[in-house]
Amino acid sequence: MTQPTATGQQPTFRDLEFLVEVSQLLTLRDVAEVMDQVMQLTASAVGAMKASLFLHNGANVNWKYVFTVRKLEGADSVRVVSTVLDEGLAGWVVRKKQAAIVTDTETDERWHIFPDDKLVVRSAMCVPLMLDDEVIAVLTLVHPEPDHFNDYHLRLMTIIANQASVAIRNAQLFQSLQEQQDQLQAVLQSVPDVMLVLNEKDDIIHVNEGAASIIGAEHLAEARGMPLTYYAAQFDILDAVRESLDSRADDMAEINFEMRSMDLETDFAVTISGWEHRNTDRHGHVVLIHNITTLRNLYRFKDEMLRIVSHDLRSPLSIISGYADMVEYDIAPESVINEYTDAIKRSVTRMSNLLEDLLKVRQIDEKGLHLDSDTVMLDLVLPVAQGTTMLAFQKQQTVESDIKLDESVRGTVDTTLMRQAFENLASNAVKYTPEGGVIHLRAYEEDGHLCFEVQDNGIGIPQDSLPHLFESFYRVNPDRNTTISGAGLGLSLVKSIVERHRGQVWVTSEEGKGSQFGIRIPLK
Ligand code: ADP
């Protein structure tokens, strides 16, 4: 391969060999290696003394890689490349998108002479490597004698350049795929969750290091290729995954569940989603298993606190209230002490209400629904409207009810809880509307659903608070509420009740103008 050839007009056997060797560049995956080979092959094919190759990095005019037979280092390479591309032959070739031969470097203006260059160059040939009408690289070949390169060389180089462009682009694509894969791999490995990728036969085709927390670090290496059933037989959490996969109706639907693994004494949240390959019929599942033991422990702690608060505080409160009553009983009506006992009783009532709300949250969390399958919706809504009217009367507010329901509209609901939800919305409207305001209550049936709406012209809610309104203990800017008591539990109760009935709750509001809340629950 080191013998110079191709000086004649007819292709020699060696020229054909070069073409075969160039076509083999397509099998290389490393950009630097492709470029190295291109330079060696071309220099050899046309008997050049030296070849250099500048590769465009694609995005802009910075030429990122510079490969020359005589390796240039750092700043030197930047200086040479930018000069050659600005003023030299390579620049001319890039701009014109065409190859060029310099028969004598001393007379051709396109050749830039570096005064400090010890290499004697008298003739040169420069070829663009094109892809999609863009120059992706320029190849320059030089010789110490004038008039070395001819048209035949140029044609040969053009053919080689075409092949080399494809080989370089291939290697670039491969390299970028490899980079993406490495990044993905790094991301997957850094995820603390357990991740298993399964194929269509539920065999494990990928497992991350997080999986060590279930199957043990020593088994990670062998897990790939094993059927899920092998591990399902050993670990209850993976058995639950297998069972979900076996019982799935729709292969691609996402499955979510939580469970406590008795084997590992750990609580897990599991998400299983389908994957499929676009061009083949390959498919499978990705299983993500997240350790939620800390969260579960917090829930257990919260439940215990709620139990203590709701039960164990109630008795002392009723004792305080009882003694306050007794004190009142014993003192003269005009005594100032009456004010003190009133204050004590008001505080006790507020605390009792708060405890009542906490108890309800717990009950809803713990107990199932007591569904009444033939509830007359009118009977559910009317008492709420009447109760609201009484409540509003104390604030000189008007309640306008528009109840478009009759005896025939019936549904399956937990009447106690649903009335509670309606009452919470209605009492909030009274609470957050100044004296003299107007409250509209609407109830109607629509598409097999019961709709219940409450509209007020009260203080309204800022837009940025709306997304948080249904969270437990959330109160809009507590400052504005100093005169209106509450714990921020009412709406979270409403949401929890409505969701248990597979319904939706919504709100729209404009600060200073009023709010509208609505509930929509399926009747069946
Ligand atoms: P609470 O009324 O006990 O504070 P809720 O969960 O019922 O708790 O309501 C949460 C917050 O939403 C309230 O603090 C209040 O700021 C706001 N809010 C609820 N209903 C209305 C309404 N009709 N108008 C204005 N603000 C409301």
Side-chain angles (χ1 to χ4, degrees):
M1 199 172 73
T2 48
Q3 289 306 308
T5 60
T7 47
Q9 297 299 305
Q10 292 303 313
T12 63
F13 181 68
R14 187 67 193 114
D15 292 343
L16 295 176
E17 270 186 345
F18 279 126
L19 292 179
V20 172
E21 281 170 42
V22 168
S23 68
Q24 281 165 354
L25 293 177
L26 284 172
T27 58
L28 298 179
R29 291 169 169 189
D30 181 58
V31 179
E33 201 184 336
V34 175
M35 297 184 69
D36 247 7
Q37 294 263 345
V38 169
M39 286 188 292
Q40 283 185 31
L41 275 171
T42 50
S44 167
V46 296
M49 165 185 69
K50 188 195 95 168
S52 60
L53 190 56
F54 304 156
L55 175 63
H56 198 283
N57 78 350
N60 48 42
V61 284
N62 294 328
W63 291 70
K64 190 172 168 189
Y65 300 106
V66 182
F67 288 90
T68 57
V69 167
R70 182 185 51 133
K71 291 266 185 287
L72 290 167
E73 298 287 333
D76 234 8
S77 78
V78 175
R79 180 179 58 85
V80 171
V81 175
S82 55
T83 315
V84 170
L85 285 169
D86 283 347
E87 306 159 22
L89 182 63
W92 187 91
V93 166
V94 171
R95 285 190 297 277
K96 300 270 178 194
K97 295 185 179 174
Q98 78 182 59
I101 291 178
V102 169
T103 48
D104 189 348
T105 54
E106 285 181 5
T107 54
D108 197 317
E109 286 185 340
R110 293 174 298 181
W111 190 257
H112 182 91
I113 297 168
F114 290 94
D116 51 348
D117 200 346
K118 300 197 178 55
L119 211 67
V120 180
V121 172
R122 285 299 303 275
S123 56
M125 179 167 67
C126 193
V127 193
L129 274 63
M130 310 278 298
L131 259 188
D132 300 333
D133 203 35
E134 291 298 323
V135 181
I136 64 157
V138 248
L139 172 69
T140 311
L141 297 146
V142 293
H143 197 273
E145 303 291 331
D147 250 336
H148 175 77
F149 301 103
N150 57 31
D151 282 351
Y152 178 77
H153 288 143
L154 199 61
R155 282 201 298 281
L156 188 62
M157 276 312 102
T158 311
I159 297 171
I160 295 179
N162 286 343
Q163 299 250 22
S165 311
V166 179
I168 288 172
R169 180 51 52 92
N170 262 0
Q172 280 176 327
L173 286 177
F174 182 82
Q175 215 156 299
S176 91
L177 265 179
Q178 191 71 44
E179 267 166 31
Q180 283 175 18
Q181 198 178 343
D182 291 348
Q183 282 168 11
L184 191 66
Q185 197 71 14
V187 171
L188 293 181
Q189 293 305 359
S190 66
V191 172
D193 294 348
V194 176
M195 203 198 70
L196 305 173
V197 183
L198 308 175
N199 65 11
E200 49 279 0
K201 288 186 272 170
D202 290 346
D203 293 335
I204 299 171
I205 53 175
H206 182 84
V207 56
N208 74 343
E209 275 170 29
S213 62
I214 294 183
I215 63 171
E218 66 280 17
H219 298 299
L220 274 185
E222 75 209 28
R224 210 182 261 208
M226 291 292 243
L228 177 69
T229 44
Y230 174 76
Y231 294 103
Q234 302 173 49
F235 303 100
D236 55 359
I237 178 72
L238 296 179
D239 196 36
V241 170
R242 180 202 55 76
E243 214 175 296
S244 310
L245 286 169
D246 286 350
S247 59
R248 73 209 157 202
D250 171 0
D251 217 27
M252 285 297 132
E254 187 172 294
I255 304 172
N256 290 289
F257 66 89
E258 289 181 10
M259 81 167 253
R260 181 164 178 81
S261 158
M262 293 305 164
D263 296 338
L264 304 165
E265 294 185 343
T266 308
D267 295 285
F268 289 114
V270 179
T271 305
I272 306 176
S273 21
W275 65 265
E276 56 191 333
H277 192 265
R278 236 182 296 161
N279 301 327
T280 65
D281 62 352
R282 295 202 57 203
H283 61 276
H285 289 90
V286 178
V287 182
L288 262 182
I289 304 176
H290 181 56
N291 184 337
I292 52 163
T293 312
T294 316
L295 197 67
R296 280 267 150 252
N297 285 341
L298 279 173
Y299 271 120
R300 282 188 273 269
F301 177 69
K302 181 206 77 173
D303 286 348
E304 183 59 14
M305 286 301 291
L306 276 178
R307 193 192 61 73
I308 294 172
V309 167
S310 49
H311 280 127
D312 302 358
L313 287 187
R314 264 146 71 105
S315 356
L317 271 184
S318 38
I319 293 170
I320 295 171
S321 176
Y323 276 107
D325 280 343
M326 279 166 69
V327 171
E328 260 179 2
Y329 202 68
D330 272 352
I331 53 167
E334 65 279 6
S335 168
V336 70
I337 293 178
N338 279 308
E339 281 177 34
Y340 303 157
T341 52
D342 273 352
I344 291 171
K345 281 161 67 182
R346 274 199 307 276
S347 296
V348 167
T349 310
R350 273 173 55 190
M351 273 183 91
S352 302
N353 289 342
L354 174 58
L355 290 183
E356 204 62 41
D357 278 351
L358 286 173
L359 200 64
K360 279 180 204 147
V361 172
R362 224 184 123 227
Q363 279 170 350
I364 294 173
D365 278 353
E366 275 181 3
K367 287 191 192 157
L369 296 179
H370 295 287
L371 292 175
D372 186 348
S373 62
D374 201 23
T375 311
V376 176
M377 292 300 143
L378 186 63
D379 292 349
L380 191 61
V381 174
L382 265 187
V384 177
Q386 283 155 3
T388 313
T389 309
M390 301 245 291
L391 210 60
F393 180 73
Q394 295 162 15
K395 284 181 83 175
Q396 290 99 47
Q397 294 164 336
T398 320
V399 175
E400 293 184 357
S401 300
D402 178 13
I403 301 174
K404 292 199 177 72
L405 298 170
D406 59 32
E407 294 270 327
S408 71
V409 183
R410 291 161 190 245
T412 306
V413 291
D414 182 318
T415 45
T416 318
L417 289 183
M418 197 46 75
R419 180 169 312 145
Q420 174 82 56
F422 293 165
E423 277 172 0
N424 277 5
L425 293 191
S427 64
N428 271 354
V430 174
K431 221 159 100 174
Y432 296 103
T433 300
E435 295 197 348
V438 183
I439 290 149
H440 293 270
L441 294 185
R442 278 183 287 273
Y444 56 94
E445 186 204 348
E446 189 183 73
D447 300 334
H449 288 74
L450 172 74
C451 301
F452 176 84
E453 292 165 12
V454 184
Q455 185 180 356
D456 64 55
N457 60 352
I459 59 175
I461 301 157
Q463 294 301 306
D464 58 350
S465 291
L466 291 178
H468 307 289
L469 228 49
F470 297 96
E471 293 167 7
S472 299
F473 302 107
Y474 182 82
R475 304 202 74 207
V476 176
N477 181 10
D479 292 349
R480 75 169 197 169
N481 281 338
T482 41
T483 51
I484 310 173
S485 72
L489 283 170
L491 289 179
S492 79
L493 269 173
V494 172
K495 182 167 183 263
S496 154
I497 295 171
V498 171
E499 283 180 351
R500 286 225 156 178
H501 285 80
R502 297 181 187 280
Q504 294 110 33
V505 54
W506 54 264
V507 55
T508 56
S509 186
E510 199 174 332
E511 207 176 6
K513 293 214 166 145
S515 316
Q516 192 169 0
F517 286 81
I519 286 175
R520 183 181 155 90
I521 45 157
L523 289 167
K524 287 277 171 295

